[in-house]
Amino acid sequence: MTDQNSADPKNANALWGGRFDAGPSAIMEEINASIGFDKRLYAQDIQGSRAHCAMLVRQGIIAAEDGDKIAQGLDRILQEIESGQFTFSTALEDIHMNVESRLRDLIGPAAGRLHTARSRNDQVATDFKLWVRDVALTDLEAGLRGLQEALIDQAEKHVATIMPGFTHLQAAQPVTFGHHMLAYVEMFGRDRGRIADCRVRINENPLGSAALAGTPYPIDRHMTASALGFDRPTANSLDAVSDRDFALEYLSAASITAMHLSRLAEEMVIWCSAQFKFIGMSDKFSTGSSIMPQKRNPDAAELIRSKIGRIVGCFNGLMLSMKGLPLAYSKDMQEDKEPVFAAHDHLGLCVAAMTGMVADMKVFTDRMRAAAGAGYTTATDLADWLVSELGMPFRDAHHVVGATVKLAESKGCDLDQLPLADLQAIEPKITDAVYAVLTVEASVAARKSFGGTAPERVAEAVKEARKRFLK
Ligand code: ARG
């Protein structure tokens, strides 16, 4: 065994090591450090510190001269980090202490005044809220808007393109491809609604809650709240430093989005198979097989279909980290960031890839049209005709149509290819007017109810969707 103990007082953390005789063991340092991932919060950490510093000066808690030095030092650090000159240190644990320690190098003892009336507990809650609000929610919102636009564009091109609609993945009734595209526009619209809901609840400022109990200094939490774009300060200091609901809300919204993406991805995998051939995936989003030269694989769609596993895993992971934690802050909560960062990165890629795939896909309208009629998809239209034209109860009509489908099956033909005599042998009151409802064109055109698949409704829905989602 090697000695993991760096038991030397000079290794003790300079920012909190006052009561320690020795530095942490190497293993302790490794398990404790979050700088490897929380450095992604650098901009929010500096933003929060600047707002805090300005408030301390305004309230007369620190001298204006020290406040100026701190602000300039923070600007310099921002620039050092963004230009790649900053050296992050694991011994300094996290982004908060990395920044503060560098500030001390740059401006000397005045740096020590920045941490007046705050703690890393309210600091990290503030940084993380700013990141989730300004990066995670903002990026997802913009990505989903772009995806909706690609779907609406396809819907507009295909308001009258007829395809089979499925239930149980069995051909059910003809629908229009535009209608199918707009179904996903609704899903991603609800996802954007969930993001907007997250924004409402996230927007309270934890800064100034200090370690857990508040602070005796005469701080102005309303001032920092408005400087950081929050609606108000959080009402309870214990809750403020213990709350990670905002991260969980983001992850649950992200999980639902990932589920929606997985459904569209699965449909695209099915549609681009040789057996369906409803769409062709562009070269940009397909790969070849190393052994089968004829193949063209929808890898991007498959990966999108799979990513939900990771994203729900991120949600579950943070949920379990938070479960049963007593108030207020516990170090368990340091585990909050990686799942959020991972979900953001994976989901961002999925949304971007899906947007490209939707925009680039080729739609084989003739294949869709041919498939739309197969499987007796206008059987319901025949039943509806028996009800409306002959006054038959729907249940009886259902039986008549069942017998008709059975006959067509035995003859190996479609419903509209059965001679009138055959139809009349089943139900004598049928007239040749029935043929008008047996085509797939008539079937979709008849479905004019609000929210239905008729091309004229879909054309209206495309316009509405542009207004609702892209204005
Ligand atoms: N790195 C810590 C985190 O991410 C910051 C807060 C640490 N607070 C503490 N009392 N040790 O949660």
Side-chain angles (χ1 to χ4, degrees):
M1 280 277 287
T2 52
D3 178 14
Q4 298 287 1
N5 194 358
S6 51
D8 178 346
K10 71 180 184 302
N11 290 335
N13 189 303
L15 298 179
W16 53 242
R19 69 177 289 278
F20 287 79
D21 295 327
S25 83
I27 294 289
M28 177 58 204
E29 194 170 291
E30 196 178 334
I31 194 173
N32 200 36
S34 54
I35 189 63
F37 48 88
D38 70 12
K39 60 178 155 204
R40 271 180 93 158
L41 300 177
Y42 75 87
Q44 291 72 25
D45 194 70
I46 290 170
Q47 188 187 0
S49 288
R50 291 216 51 163
H52 184 66
C53 172
M55 183 277 294
L56 293 176
V57 170
R58 165 103 87 81
Q59 297 301 100
I61 299 167
I62 66 171
E65 193 189 317
D66 287 339
D68 288 345
K69 281 194 206 157
I70 291 170
Q72 282 161 20
L74 290 170
D75 283 350
R76 165 89 186 266
I77 293 169
L78 182 65
Q79 178 235 313
E80 285 179 359
I81 296 176
E82 295 195 326
S83 63
Q85 287 158 20
F86 192 93
T87 314
F88 292 101
S89 151
T90 310
L92 289 166
E93 281 183 43
D94 57 27
I95 185 64
H96 325 296
M97 293 200 291
N98 269 265
V99 169
E100 196 184 322
S101 167
R102 179 67 185 140
L103 191 62
R104 189 181 295 265
D105 296 344
L106 290 172
I107 69 165
R113 303 200 181 273
L114 174 60
H115 214 52
T116 314
R118 80 173 183 190
S119 143
R120 278 186 293 155
N121 297 350
D122 59 338
Q123 196 181 355
V124 72
T126 306
D127 293 4
F128 198 29
K129 271 193 168 181
L130 289 172
W131 194 91
V132 171
R133 186 190 69 187
D134 297 341
V135 182
L137 296 178
T138 300
D139 287 355
L140 185 54
E141 155 76 13
L144 289 175
R145 187 189 189 281
L147 175 53
Q148 284 182 304
E149 187 162 20
L151 288 161
I152 294 170
D153 288 347
Q154 286 288 5
E156 186 160 49
K157 282 189 227 150
H158 294 288
V159 289
T161 297
I162 297 177
M163 69 180 287
F166 299 89
T167 60
H168 313 266
L169 198 56
Q170 309 291 315
Q173 290 174 354
V175 295
T176 54
F177 188 58
H179 198 51
H180 201 117
M181 292 289 94
L182 290 182
Y184 284 100
V185 171
E186 293 299 320
M187 295 183 220
F188 297 123
R190 288 193 294 275
D191 293 341
R192 286 175 66 188
R194 272 179 279 276
I195 293 169
D197 294 345
C198 291
R199 282 191 187 282
V200 174
R201 275 179 300 280
I202 200 173
N203 220 24
E204 295 184 340
N205 185 23
L207 194 59
S209 300
L212 75 166
T215 173
Y217 296 95
I219 58 172
D220 181 352
R221 295 190 59 212
H222 293 274
M223 179 181 167
T224 49
S226 83
L228 297 171
F230 288 109
D231 296 329
R232 66 191 80 83
T234 50
N236 182 296
S237 61
L238 290 169
D239 174 54
V241 294
S242 317
D243 167 38
R244 293 296 181 273
D245 291 3
F246 61 91
L248 288 166
E249 284 191 32
Y250 162 69
L251 289 172
S252 74
S255 297
I256 296 175
T257 298
M259 175 274 286
H260 290 152
L261 287 168
S262 79
R263 298 180 73 170
L264 180 52
E266 164 70 353
E267 297 211 290
M268 294 178 92
V269 169
I270 295 173
W271 291 343
C272 76
S273 67
Q275 290 69 24
F276 270 74
K277 214 164 184 290
F278 283 4
I279 63 166
M281 219 77 101
S282 79
D283 286 352
K284 286 196 254 168
F285 294 99
S286 322
T287 57
S289 157
S290 54
I291 176 166
M292 296 164 284
Q294 85 284 8
K295 289 203 74 180
R296 186 184 175 79
N297 295 327
D299 294 38
E302 294 166 273
L303 288 163
I304 293 169
R305 187 173 60 187
S306 173
K307 291 273 189 195
I308 182 173
R310 280 181 192 262
I311 291 165
V312 173
C314 292
F315 174 71
N316 285 339
L318 181 55
M319 199 63 152
L320 291 185
S321 289
M322 295 305 296
K323 176 191 172 288
L325 288 187
L327 301 185
Y329 179 86
S330 297
K331 198 62 176 255
D332 311 51
M333 293 167 66
Q334 178 165 283
E335 298 274 301
D336 58 357
K337 289 167 236 14
E338 285 166 292
V340 169
F341 292 155
H344 169 264
D345 295 344
H346 288 287
L347 192 55
L349 257 180
C350 290
V351 172
M354 184 55 93
T355 305
M357 279 163 47
V358 168
D360 284 5
M361 72 184 164
K362 280 202 275 304
V363 178
F364 300 126
T365 55
D366 47 343
R367 291 277 307 180
M368 287 187 179
R369 169 67 184 77
Y376 309 106
T377 55
T378 58
T380 317
D381 298 87
L382 175 55
D384 290 338
W385 186 88
L386 296 170
V387 170
S388 64
E389 300 302 311
L390 305 184
M392 203 179 267
F394 187 82
R395 278 291 152 229
D396 299 347
H398 192 283
H399 278 289
V400 170
V401 177
T404 313
V405 167
K406 201 169 162 195
L407 180 66
E409 243 168 7
S410 73
K411 294 194 154 194
C413 70
D414 285 341
L415 293 180
D416 59 350
Q417 289 164 343
L418 286 172
L420 186 59
D422 281 356
L423 294 175
Q424 287 175 338
I426 297 169
E427 170 48 61
K429 287 195 251 138
I430 292 179
T431 66
D432 67 357
V434 78
Y435 290 103
V437 302
L438 296 182
T439 65
V440 294
E441 284 75 12
S443 176
V444 296
R447 287 180 166 67
K448 290 193 184 105
S449 52
F450 183 84
T453 197
E456 56 181 289
R457 284 284 167 271
V458 177
E460 288 163 10
V462 163
K463 284 208 194 89
E464 276 304 304
R466 284 200 196 284
K467 269 193 248 153
R468 288 163 62 206
F469 299 120
L470 306 180
K471 57 174 184 321

